[in-house]
Amino acid sequence: QPEISFNYLGQFGQTKEHESLFGFSHLPVGASISAQAQRQHTLDITGMVSEGKLALHFTYDYREYNRETITELAERYKSKLLALIEHCLQQENVDVTPSDLGDKEMTLEELEDITAFIKSL
């Protein structure tokens, strides 16, 4: 059983408020489970994009980790993610993978062969 769970929920809030029946409340909701409850994972990271902003929520087993450790983990994650974004923004060419093209069976090597063939024309 993995000790860490990462769950990306997707993108929300892409429609205008008046077009959607439901929306997110900005009121605090509190913890969804007790801090003393038995956990499936010692660390759960849940992420989502809402109104164009990425939000990550870290919950953890307080018997395994202390607040400072999780805060440091979150700061390092943020730093690495920002570095990755900066790297991607500096690229002159866009690289695509088979999944970007909707092909679940094509390998990366096959895509590279097709790309090389097209460039040779």
Side-chain angles (χ1 to χ4, degrees), residues 84-93:
L84 177 62
I85 292 168
E86 182 64 30
H87 168 78
C88 291
L89 290 173
Q90 292 178 2
Q91 300 306 303
E92 293 182 18
N93 298 319

Side-chain angles (χ1 to χ4, degrees), residues 66-106:
N66 60 44
R67 182 190 263 313
E68 293 79 19
T69 301
I70 300 301
T71 299
E72 183 178 341
L73 171 66
E75 288 299 322
R76 286 184 180 193
Y77 190 96
K78 178 181 177 181
S79 173
K80 297 295 183 183
L81 184 57
L82 289 172
L84 177 62
I85 292 168
E86 182 64 30
H87 168 78
C88 291
L89 290 173
Q90 292 178 2
Q91 300 306 303
E92 293 182 18
N93 298 319
V94 175
D95 294 325
V96 296
T97 66
S99 64
D100 294 326
L101 303 174
D103 193 324
K104 296 179 182 178
E105 297 186 21
M106 181 187 300

Side-chain angles (χ1 to χ4, degrees), residues 30-78:
S32 58
I33 60 172
S34 169
Q36 286 77 32
Q38 180 70 29
R39 305 180 58 83
Q40 287 186 326
H41 305 94
T42 57
L43 175 62
D44 287 293
I45 304 170
T46 305
M48 63 185 274
V49 173
S50 177
E51 298 175 1
K53 296 179 183 176
L54 174 65
L56 294 175
H57 184 72
F58 293 73
T59 55
Y60 57 95
D61 185 334
Y62 73 96
R63 294 171 297 234
E64 294 282 332
Y65 302 105
N66 60 44
R67 182 190 263 313
E68 293 79 19
T69 301
I70 300 301
T71 299
E72 183 178 341
L73 171 66
E75 288 299 322
R76 286 184 180 193
Y77 190 96
K78 178 181 177 181

